């Protein structure tokens, strides 16, 4: 990183007010959220009847969206913990981006599960009557733990930055100043304080890795603990985790590009970062591809009768278009783009990131829905619309609203806090100089 | 439909009380003294069948509907009927796809229109194998996958083998529906269309009535009927005697007209259970569709006409 003066770093990285683009962005996200909220109100009033879920396809885009959110949140642990523990320093400017994506995604994963419940008013039953043998209860436990650790991993490195922000009073409004003081006025930049937070962050970085594996493995077990063709797979845990790291890293590529261009952070999120993240995405896409080959080729080789309808539906049947779209956009095309040096320039990497995320969303849909349309016994004695599934407008609006909500959280976070750690950037520049 | 059900219930209730009144004439009066004091004979007499099978006459004024029979508590309903282990045998060679089982079940449990707890599956294992009708109830598995995954103990396995749902506790996550390989569970996607009198009843796990919006429902083996010593509605509704119900510990099953030793029936007719390889250990046994009473094809056409 080229030498930049400390004050310049602070000026560059302190949060900025929304520009015209920012306001339009926020208003459109709010509009999507409002539509989602209206749709959810309808769902609460009329029941899940407003969805196109029925007895056979009883889990649809809410659940696939849930899986998507849990998946994307894993990137927090990858960038913050895995890279930190392996002593990789280039990723420092990306840690906070990854961590806020993780926090916001996992929070909305929890929300979307409540949206999917037939009786959200009885949510407390999970605590008053919870039974440990149900994978849902495991999910509740690990997701809450993950949210908590992620919040702490977001908060601790923020403390020195809070002090910087409190000092720069003139840039903050009255309420923001109060918020910063509430969160960080006890921080005095003392060496003991650094020692404690460093230690805490280390411990959290170590603990978050098994918890991160747990949240997505347990999420995969919601499916793999059933008998259904397409879900009944011992491959599922690893398959989900590898896919999760991939989609999260894709999201980080997108966020890197957006923040870099919007806040003019070219000096901090450099071409080199895109190059390195691009390589990581290639590696992760290859790993995910490997698990996909395992997941589909092995049962397809045997073609057991129960699996046959499901697999043929994906390969050549009614889901073929979506299936091959997902495989190519989530894995094949991003690999082809990012494997070349020219593909790892910011703009190309951004496009690859979008492909990964969009493809991965469809991939989750294809994991959830087609299986449910291929039960063991024939679909009989049900109305015709029970035998198909396409989400209703309420489902789209709610799923879209949750995605917009997650983006809003990230957006507001970047408005209130420095999206690139100021203090750590200063320290690293100084260390860099010494070398 | 609903009115029929009510009048039937009232009739049962009145008969019960009248029967009790007559049987216990003298020493054990079911009426409290005030009740008797209040009742003035109307002079209008009604003919009734007593429990001993005699036709008797009672003054109409003495016929009063008894309050709803006290239902078992949630705790009792979760334990089950002591010393019993229920099983069902479905004889596929007798099934003609009349769906009387289904309509009786839907009627008695007020199942949502369009949904069914008993499904009639047209089965054909392979191109060249014979097709047959397979009524599918809840299997009441001894290793129920639905119970394993339920996060709140809303669906539970009782000591008498029956798997029930507590609709007052169900959170509507539908994990049980995904877990059940027999696709037996249905969901109340909207507010159940029930008569007010029924909707206002407190939910009873043993009758599975009234169904509640946002919760799961399914075949319950009619434990309320069984507790009274009666057969489940599907068993008594089937004119062809397809369904046999009984207690495995007593080793006997009956369809109301015929009673068999359960173990002999399974042995002689080579009974089997569905998806044995999954290890769910169902309580429902099937007798293979051999020496059938009805050809399959005729009913396919009947089905199409419907």
């Amino acid at each position: 990183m080229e030498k930049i003066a400390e004050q310049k770093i602070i000026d560059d990285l302190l949060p900025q007010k929304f520009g015209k683009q920012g306001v339009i962005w926020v208003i459109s996200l709010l509009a999507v959220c409002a539509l989602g909220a209206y749709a959810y109100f309808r769902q609460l009033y009329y029941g899940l009847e407003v969805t196109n879920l029925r007895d056979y396809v009883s889990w649809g885009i809410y659940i696939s969206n849930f899986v998507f959110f849990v998946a994307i949140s894993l990137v927090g642990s990858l960038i913050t913990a895995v890279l930190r523990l392996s002593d990789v320093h280039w990723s420092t400017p990306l840690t906070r981006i990854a961590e806020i994506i993780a926090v916001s995604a996992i929070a909305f994963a929890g929300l979307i599960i409540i949206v999917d419940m037939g009786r959200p008013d009885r949510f407390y039953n999970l605590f008053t009557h919870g039974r440990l043998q149900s994978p849902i209860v495991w999910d509740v436990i690990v997701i809450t733990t993950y949210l908590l650790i992620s919040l702490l991993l977001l908060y601790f490195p923020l403390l020195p930055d809070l002090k910087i922000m409190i000092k720069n009073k003139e840039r903050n409004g009255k309420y923001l100043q109060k918020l910063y003081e509430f969160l960080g006025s006890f921080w005095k930049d003392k060496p003991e304080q650094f020692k404690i937070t460093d230690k805490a962050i280390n411990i959290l970085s170590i603990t978050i890795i098994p918890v991160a594996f747990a949240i997505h493995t347990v999420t995969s077990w919601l499916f793999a603990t059933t008998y259904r063709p397409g879900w009944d797979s011992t491959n599922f845990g690893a398959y989900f985790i590898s896919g999760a790291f991939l989609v999260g890293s894709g999201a980080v590529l997108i966020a890197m590009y957006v923040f870099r261009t919007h806040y003019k952070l070219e000096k901090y999120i450099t071409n080199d970062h895109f190059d390195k993240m691009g390589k990581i995405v290639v590696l992760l896409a290859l790993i995910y591809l490997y698990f996909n080959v395992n997941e589909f080729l092995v049962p397809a080789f045997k073609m057991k009768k129960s699996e046959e309808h499901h697999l043929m539906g994906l390969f050549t049947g009614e889901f073929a278009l979506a299936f091959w779209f997902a495989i190519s956009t989530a894995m094949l095309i991003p690999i082809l783009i990012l494997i070349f040096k020219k593909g790892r320039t910011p703009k190309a990497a951004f496009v690859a990131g979008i492909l990964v995320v969009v493809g991965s969303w469809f991939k989750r849909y294809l994991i959830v829905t087609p299986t449910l349309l291929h039960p063991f016994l024939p679909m009989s004695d049900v109305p015709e619309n029970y035998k198909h599934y396409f989400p209703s407008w309420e489902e789209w609006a709610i799923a879209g609203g949750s995605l917009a909500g997650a983006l809003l959280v990230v957006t507001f976070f970047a408005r209130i806090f420095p999206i690139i750690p100021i203090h750590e950037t200063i320290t690293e520049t100084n260390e860099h100089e010494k070398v | 439909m609903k009115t029929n059900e009510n009048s039937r219930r009232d009739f049962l209730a009145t008969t019960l009380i009248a029967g009790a009144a007559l049987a216990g004439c003298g020493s054990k009066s079911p009426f409290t003294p005030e009740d008797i004091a209040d009742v003035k004979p109307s002079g209008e007499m009604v003919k009734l069948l007593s429990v001993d099978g005699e036709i008797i006459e009672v003054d109409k004024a003495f016929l009063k509907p008894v309050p709803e029979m006290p239902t078992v508590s949630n705790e009792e309903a979760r334990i089950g009927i002591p010393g019993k282990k229920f099983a069902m045998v479905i004889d596929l060679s007798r099934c003609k796809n009349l769906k009387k089982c289904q309509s009786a079940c839907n009627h008695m449990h007020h199942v949502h229109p369009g949904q069914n707890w008993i499904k009639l599956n047209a089965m054909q294992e392979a191109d060249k194998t014979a097709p047959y009708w397979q009524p599918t109830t809840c299997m009441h598995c001894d290793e129920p996958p639905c119970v394993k995954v339920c996060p709140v103990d809303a669906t539970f396995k009782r000591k008498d083998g029956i798997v029930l749902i507590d609709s007052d506790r169900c959170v509507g996550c539908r994990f049980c529906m995904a877990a059940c390989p027999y696709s037996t569970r249905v969901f109340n996607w909207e507010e159940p269309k029930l008569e007010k009198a029924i909707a206002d009843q407190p939910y009873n796990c043993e009758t599975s009535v009234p169904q509640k919006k946002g919760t799961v429902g399914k075949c319950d083996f009619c434990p309320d009927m069984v507790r009274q010593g009666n057969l489940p509605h599907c068993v008594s509704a089937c004119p062809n005697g397809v369904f046999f119900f009984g207690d495995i510990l007593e080793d006997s099953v009956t369809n109301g007209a015929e009673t068999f030793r359960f173990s002999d029936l399974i042995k002689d007719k080579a009974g089997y259970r569905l998806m044995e390889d999954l290890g769910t250990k169902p309580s429902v046994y099937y007798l293979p569709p051999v020496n059938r009473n009805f050809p399959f094809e005729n009913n396919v056409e009947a089905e199409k006409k419907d």
Side-chain angles (χ1 to χ4, degrees):
Chain A
M1 198 180 288
E2 58 186 291
K3 194 183 149 190
I4 315 168
E6 197 175 315
Q7 193 51 48
K8 172 96 174 79
I9 296 180
I10 294 174
D11 286 344
D12 281 351
L13 297 185
L14 275 180
Q16 299 165 22
K17 287 210 170 103
F18 289 134
K20 199 173 168 192
Q21 274 181 323
V23 172
I24 295 172
W25 169 248
V26 168
I27 288 176
S28 26
L29 287 182
L30 279 174
V32 178
C33 284
L35 186 66
Y38 170 65
Y40 186 54
F41 168 76
R42 276 178 57 85
Q43 182 180 309
L44 281 180
Y45 189 79
Y46 295 106
L48 284 165
E49 174 74 12
V50 301
T51 67
N52 279 343
L53 297 168
R54 289 299 177 261
D55 290 345
Y56 285 102
V57 183
S58 58
W59 284 348
I61 56 169
Y62 294 156
I63 294 293
S64 62
N65 216 20
F66 162 75
V67 178
F68 177 78
F69 273 130
V70 176
I72 218 163
S73 81
L74 246 66
V75 75
S77 71
L78 174 72
I79 306 267
T80 332
V82 176
L83 293 185
R84 181 190 168 95
L85 292 174
S86 36
D87 222 12
V88 172
H89 290 289
W90 62 263
S91 63
T92 311
L94 310 181
T95 49
R96 198 161 289 157
I97 295 180
E99 210 54 60
I100 187 59
I101 291 177
V103 166
S104 137
I106 202 70
F108 275 89
L111 275 182
I112 204 84
I113 273 294
I114 297 175
V115 165
D116 186 73
M117 285 169 60
R119 297 301 294 242
D121 53 318
R122 296 181 184 168
F123 183 73
Y124 63 89
N125 277 6
L126 286 170
F127 303 97
T128 51
H129 296 292
R131 291 160 88 225
L132 260 187
Q133 91 240 40
S134 169
I136 287 194
V137 173
W138 309 343
D139 227 9
V140 172
I141 295 170
V142 287
I143 284 180
T144 338
T145 315
Y146 189 74
L147 176 63
L148 192 71
I149 300 181
S150 297
L151 278 172
L152 292 177
L153 272 176
L154 191 62
Y155 180 52
F156 290 159
L158 198 63
L159 286 168
D161 288 4
L162 282 170
K163 181 159 179 288
I164 297 170
M165 286 188 291
I166 293 171
K167 251 198 277 175
N168 287 275
K169 254 186 215 146
E170 68 289 353
R171 300 199 37 164
N172 312 328
K174 202 173 90 189
Y175 294 107
L176 279 188
Q177 184 70 18
K178 268 196 185 149
L179 177 71
Y180 298 148
E181 280 170 9
F182 172 73
L183 287 174
S185 56
F186 61 88
W187 185 266
K188 304 284 182 238
D189 270 352
K190 284 185 197 156
E192 309 90 82
Q193 286 184 318
F194 276 112
K195 217 172 132 191
I196 295 170
T197 46
D198 271 356
K199 204 168 173 186
I201 293 171
N202 267 337
I203 293 172
L204 290 173
S205 302
I206 295 166
T207 40
I208 201 169
I209 294 172
V211 178
F213 271 67
I215 55 167
H216 217 41
T217 308
V218 171
T219 301
S220 82
W221 287 348
L222 297 183
F223 308 99
T225 51
T226 70
Y227 297 100
R228 306 247 176 182
W231 290 355
D232 181 11
S233 157
T234 47
N235 187 36
F236 248 43
Y239 170 54
F240 269 48
I241 300 248
S242 58
F245 282 139
L246 172 65
V247 59
S249 304
V252 167
L253 272 182
I254 300 175
M256 279 163 65
Y257 181 81
V258 172
F259 285 127
R260 171 181 145 121
T261 45
H262 189 72
Y263 289 128
K264 312 260 175 303
L265 301 174
E266 287 82 358
K267 277 181 226 139
Y268 305 93
I269 303 176
T270 61
N271 289 0
D272 194 40
H273 282 116
F274 283 93
D275 185 63
K276 289 189 164 122
M277 270 312 288
K279 284 177 185 165
I280 288 185
V281 172
V282 172
L283 173 68
L284 291 170
L286 285 170
I287 297 175
Y288 191 42
L289 196 59
Y290 166 77
F291 281 111
N292 270 279
V293 170
N294 272 278
E295 186 56 36
F296 293 108
L297 189 67
V298 177
F301 188 88
K302 293 177 281 193
M303 274 301 178
K304 283 198 315 207
K305 195 179 157 195
S306 55
E307 304 266 352
E308 190 184 351
H309 299 292
H310 171 66
L311 288 171
M312 293 319 285
L314 291 176
F315 294 162
T316 55
E318 56 175 326
F319 295 105
L321 194 67
F323 178 75
W324 295 112
F325 172 81
I327 294 279
S328 40
T329 48
M331 286 164 270
L332 302 178
I333 301 173
I335 292 175
L336 283 179
I337 296 177
L338 295 168
I339 206 157
F340 297 106
K341 190 148 183 63
K342 270 189 191 159
R344 294 193 297 271
T345 52
K347 214 167 251 171
F350 169 66
V351 173
I354 289 182
L355 289 177
V356 165
V357 172
V358 172
S360 295
W361 193 91
F362 279 93
K363 191 83 176 67
R364 302 301 176 281
Y365 177 75
L366 291 169
I367 288 172
V368 176
T369 296
T371 282
L372 289 167
L373 282 169
H374 300 110
F376 287 106
L377 293 174
M379 297 194 259
S380 337
D381 289 338
V382 286
E384 197 50 36
N385 65 338
Y386 278 42
K387 299 181 185 173
H388 310 279
Y389 173 68
F390 190 79
S392 68
W393 80 258
E394 285 92 346
E395 284 175 272
W396 286 115
I398 292 173
S402 69
L403 292 168
L407 288 173
L408 262 185
V409 170
V410 177
T411 309
F412 277 113
F413 181 84
R415 165 67 193 88
I416 298 172
F417 301 105
I419 196 67
I420 293 183
I422 303 178
H423 172 80
E424 284 174 73
T425 309
I426 295 172
T427 330
E428 299 228 333
T429 329
N430 293 346
E431 271 172 21
H432 198 70
E433 271 172 55
K434 275 180 215 156
V435 179
Chain B
M1 256 162 56
K2 302 287 154 53
T3 19
N4 274 345
E5 162 28 13
N6 270 353
S7 56
R8 193 193 67 98
R9 186 171 290 189
D10 289 349
F11 173 73
L12 271 179
T14 39
T15 322
L16 270 175
I17 190 124
L22 292 157
C25 254
S27 58
K28 274 194 205 162
S29 169
F31 299 115
T32 55
E34 304 94 271
D35 276 337
I36 295 176
D38 285 347
V39 177
K40 284 187 186 122
S42 64
E44 202 184 331
M45 303 300 276
V46 183
K47 281 201 172 79
L48 289 173
L49 188 66
S50 84
V51 277
D52 307 325
E54 291 171 69
I55 294 186
I56 45 171
E57 274 195 337
V58 194
D59 192 289
K60 205 181 176 189
F62 283 102
L63 296 180
K64 290 206 305 186
V66 281
E68 197 78 23
M69 293 282 280
T71 50
V72 291
S73 71
N74 186 286
E75 276 152 20
E76 283 172 282
R78 279 174 175 270
I79 292 168
I81 303 169
K84 300 275 179 184
K85 176 77 179 74
F86 296 110
M88 185 176 269
V89 179
I90 298 177
D91 188 348
L92 299 176
S93 67
R94 298 176 175 201
C95 180
K96 197 189 174 186
N97 192 32
L98 281 177
K99 298 194 175 181
K100 298 286 182 200
C101 51
Q102 195 179 61
S103 51
C105 171
N106 290 353
H107 175 67
M108 296 312 292
H109 295 106
H110 309 280
V111 177
H112 198 76
Q115 288 179 319
N116 299 288
W117 287 0
I118 299 178
K119 297 196 176 83
L120 266 296
N121 291 311
M123 302 295 286
Q124 186 167 22
E125 313 293 343
D127 285 350
K128 297 254 173 0
T129 61
Y132 58 94
W133 294 109
Q134 176 182 285
T136 314
T137 63
C138 170
M139 298 291 138
H140 296 275
C141 306
D142 284 345
E143 298 290 341
C146 52
V147 170
K148 264 194 215 168
V149 299
C150 178
V152 294
D153 200 17
T155 188
F156 51 88
K157 174 85 180 165
R158 316 201 305 177
K159 286 185 180 161
D160 59 11
I162 298 181
V163 175
L164 293 181
I165 299 172
D166 185 345
S167 288
D168 280 334
R169 189 184 290 183
C170 175
V171 295
C173 69
R174 311 191 291 294
F175 199 177
C176 54
M177 299 177 76
C180 175
Y182 307 100
S183 307
T184 201
R185 289 172 167 255
V186 305
F187 192 73
N188 289 297
W189 299 101
E190 61 184 329
E191 193 65 58
K193 295 190 168 73
L194 299 175
E195 213 176 273
K196 195 173 178 307
I198 292 163
D200 286 348
Q201 286 172 16
Y203 176 79
N204 178 350
C205 297
E206 291 207 338
T207 55
S208 305
V209 172
Q211 286 291 298
K212 308 243 160 148
K213 176 175 137 185
T215 66
V216 176
K218 70 162 186 71
C219 154
D220 57 6
F221 262 13
C222 301
D224 55 322
M225 298 298 285
V226 177
R227 211 181 261 281
Q228 293 164 26
N230 296 323
L231 288 168
H233 299 296
C234 53
V235 180
S236 34
C238 178
N240 297 321
V242 171
F243 297 86
F244 293 84
F245 189 82
D247 178 3
I248 268 190
L249 301 177
E250 284 173 7
D251 200 21
S252 84
V253 286
T254 180
N255 61 7
E258 303 155 274
T259 305
F260 290 100
R261 190 175 283 277
F262 169 78
S263 50
D264 287 349
L265 187 64
I266 297 297
K267 194 170 69 187
D268 296 344
K269 298 235 172 133
Y272 64 95
R273 303 186 291 190
L274 296 186
M275 299 176 216
E276 198 66 69
D277 53 321
L278 299 183
T280 51
K281 301 183 185 153
S283 299
V284 177
Y285 291 74
Y286 285 87
L287 304 181
V290 288
N291 301 327
R292 296 192 215 181
N293 293 357
F294 310 100
F296 178 84
E297 292 77 10
N298 294 355
N299 301 299
V300 180
E301 269 150 38
E303 178 91 337
K304 273 180 195 155
K305 270 180 216 157
D306 285 350

